[in-house]
Amino acid sequence: MDRINPNKVTSPTAGVGTTTTTSHIALLKPSSSPPPPHPPRDYLSSPLLSSPIHRPPPPPPLQARRSAAGPAAAMMGAKLLLLLVASSLCLSAAIAAQQTCPADLDSKCGDAASGDWEGEFFPGIPKIKYEGPSSKNPLAYKWYNAEEVILGKKMKDWMRFSVAFWHTFRGTGGDPFGAPTKSWPWEDGTNSLDMAKRRMRAHFEFMEKLGVDRWCFHDRDIAPDGKTLTETNKNLDEIVELAKKLQEETNIKPLWGTAQLFMHPRYMHGAATSPEVKVYAYGAAQVKKALEVTHYLGGENYVFWGGREGYQTLLNTDMKRELDHLASFLQAAVDYKKKIGFNGTLLIEPKPQEPTKHQYDWDVATTFSFLQKYGLTGEFKINVECNHATLSGHSCHHELETARINGLLGNIDANTGDPQIGWDTDQFLTDISEATLVMSSVVKNGGLAPGGFNFDAKLRRESTDVEDMFLAHISGMDTLARGLRNVVKLIEDGSLDELVRKRYQSFDSEIGALIEAGKGDFETLEKKVLEWGEPIVPSGKQELAEILFQAAL
């Protein structure tokens, strides 16, 4: 993951949400300059109350007015009175109704005391629905039909989609060469608790409109750091209570939670692999709290991403000691998970490097070896991130298959990298071919539950409209859904499976069965070679396999 800094204060911008009557798409663009601050009003010292009140002179007696006005004026007055009554009733109804307004700092739709507002954060965006492949509506699903049954499961149960809070609501568009390009209309440029609550409400509205019922988070993404661990935990508790309330109202829950053990300077040498015991202990305390929060919110999994768990040079590193410490840390997490009754799956997310030069959980195979060495294979599964797979020199399909055949495939962070760029770009997966290969592994695995697909992907730096948040997720969801439909085509056709079966059919013989049973000793095999003579090696038919695969796309 290309993680972002939620504690970075960006320049506040207040956007104005605008909708048009000629399009179903509403563009919410930030204004070019920050809004003026809104100081609290002191109504008791208001000049309006302290100034003398000037009253107009009293009107003439009623009878005198009647005689002066005449019947025509009286009729006009009656009509005016009726109009005023009707207007008053309409105004009362409007005030009583739920306000629908752009959720920006200038909308003045909200509660000035709490710093929040009523109404919608995305007023111009409809709830996203399935319209089929022929639809030209960009705010509609063409391939993802949540309730459609495919291969015995509803599509939503194959996918179990999740929104990543950090990229979607904490992404700024900043990079090492440029300042942030995004500040959503509801952002005020602070990392305050009030801002965190507003952001959480926007997040849940986004998921409801998208039709996604799972989310993922780091502890420090959703709540700001305090000056002490106690204050930080208090901040987190306050935001978690709001998240719990919003979950109960929407039936949305976490796919997984995790602790952010890479952003703060204390973790510059790592957390579990830090040479400083106080940092190790602080990381343990942070994971303890994050496990509690994930459990409280009903999370189905908990992820360990060790972005700083590695080294920059071996000249100052005791690798064995650091790996031993990492294993002890993970074992302690297992023990605490069981102690608090958390039944979710613990996941490790491999990545070869970035930000660390060499990360200890380089890829799936390295992580599997580590788990085997320290007796942790029964306690952890793997969260495969496709962009991390390519950084380690593998395809996403390779990493998924390595995890699957070893019983470790637990979750997928659905993203991709740019083949021309050598770092973690965290782009939304839009390649139909790759999505089909990904879904073939998922189908062979029987699904991902209790894991799923988390969109650990971010908008491009140049994508700055609020609707882009929806368009990106719609594209990613449709791509994977199309991949699933392509897998069905491959299964129904059967030609590719038959090609693979024929390629290994010599092992269906008596001697092949002996080998696969682990009983093919060298003496017996030598006798067979002398009996058979030089073997004839058949073609691998790679080109045919590629044709058969492409035909399904």
Side-chain angles (χ1 to χ4, degrees), residues 338-451:
K338 295 176 179 178
K339 182 176 182 179
I340 64 176
F342 176 49
N343 295 320
T345 303
L346 298 180
L347 300 165
I348 294 178
E349 180 182 324
K351 187 178 182 182
Q353 72 271 318
E354 190 198 3
T356 309
K357 176 182 176 180
H358 181 98
Q359 197 166 305
Y360 289 132
D361 51 0
W362 182 273
D363 58 9
V364 172
T366 306
T367 304
F368 183 34
S369 175
F370 171 86
L371 293 174
Q372 286 179 312
K373 176 181 178 180
Y374 291 100
L376 294 168
T377 49
E379 305 293 350
F380 289 86
K381 288 193 174 184
I382 302 294
N383 177 36
V384 175
E385 178 170 327
C386 289
N387 203 169
H388 293 180
T390 53
L391 289 177
S392 64
H394 307 303
S395 67
C396 187
H397 191 210
H398 167 89
E399 289 291 83
L400 291 172
E401 285 297 280
T402 304
R404 182 185 70 81
I405 65 177
N406 288 294
L408 292 172
L409 180 54
N411 193 82
I412 298 174
D413 270 6
N415 62 15
T416 191
D418 190 310
Q420 294 178 296
I421 297 176
W423 63 83
D424 195 4
T425 55
D426 284 339
Q427 297 170 231
F428 280 84
L429 175 60
T430 58
D431 186 307
I432 305 302
S433 175
E434 185 176 7
T436 303
L437 293 170
V438 167
M439 290 311 304
S440 70
S441 291
V442 173
V443 169
K444 289 175 184 176
N445 199 58
L448 292 171

Side-chain angles (χ1 to χ4, degrees), residues 41-240:
R41 288 181 179 175
D42 182 356
Y43 288 98
L44 294 179
S45 61
S46 170
L48 294 175
L49 295 181
S50 58
S51 301
I53 300 175
H54 300 283
R55 294 183 175 86
L62 179 61
Q63 186 62 38
R65 281 181 283 141
R66 279 180 178 170
S67 59
M75 181 64 71
M76 182 65 71
K79 289 182 178 179
L80 182 59
L81 179 61
L82 183 60
L83 181 61
L84 288 172
V85 170
S87 299
S88 177
L89 289 174
C90 291
L91 181 60
S92 298
I95 292 173
Q98 171 77 20
Q99 292 172 310
T100 299
C101 56
D104 61 68
L105 301 181
D106 286 338
S107 66
K108 303 185 185 300
C109 289
D111 181 354
S114 69
D116 217 332
W117 54 80
E118 300 296 328
E120 294 184 12
F121 288 86
F122 308 96
I125 306 293
K127 186 165 184 177
I128 311 303
K129 297 179 180 179
Y130 173 72
E131 294 185 4
S134 62
S135 173
K136 301 300 182 183
N137 179 7
L139 291 175
Y141 297 118
K142 284 76 174 175
W143 302 96
Y144 177 62
N145 186 7
E147 299 297 325
E148 182 179 348
V149 176
I150 292 180
L151 298 176
K153 288 184 184 180
K154 290 183 177 181
M155 191 172 276
K156 67 179 183 181
D157 295 326
W158 279 114
M159 302 305 186
R160 293 170 57 85
F161 286 131
S162 169
V163 173
F165 188 90
W166 57 95
H167 280 321
T168 310
F169 284 90
R170 303 311 307 270
T172 67
D175 64 23
F177 302 95
T181 59
K182 303 175 181 67
S183 185
W184 303 122
W186 51 85
E187 292 285 338
D188 65 5
T190 72
N191 197 31
S192 66
L193 275 171
D194 280 344
M195 186 62 250
K197 292 176 183 178
R198 184 183 306 145
R199 199 178 287 125
M200 186 63 71
R201 291 188 180 97
H203 172 62
F204 272 82
E205 184 184 313
F206 175 77
M207 288 188 290
E208 274 201 291
K209 289 199 168 187
L210 195 63
V212 171
D213 56 9
R214 290 174 177 83
W215 65 297
C216 296
F217 65 92
H218 301 80
D219 50 1
R220 300 300 179 258
D221 300 328
I222 62 174
D225 258 321
K227 294 180 180 179
T228 64
L229 181 61
T230 300
E231 183 181 330
T232 299
N233 286 346
K234 183 180 178 182
N235 291 345
L236 183 58
D237 286 338
E238 193 167 336
I239 300 303
V240 164

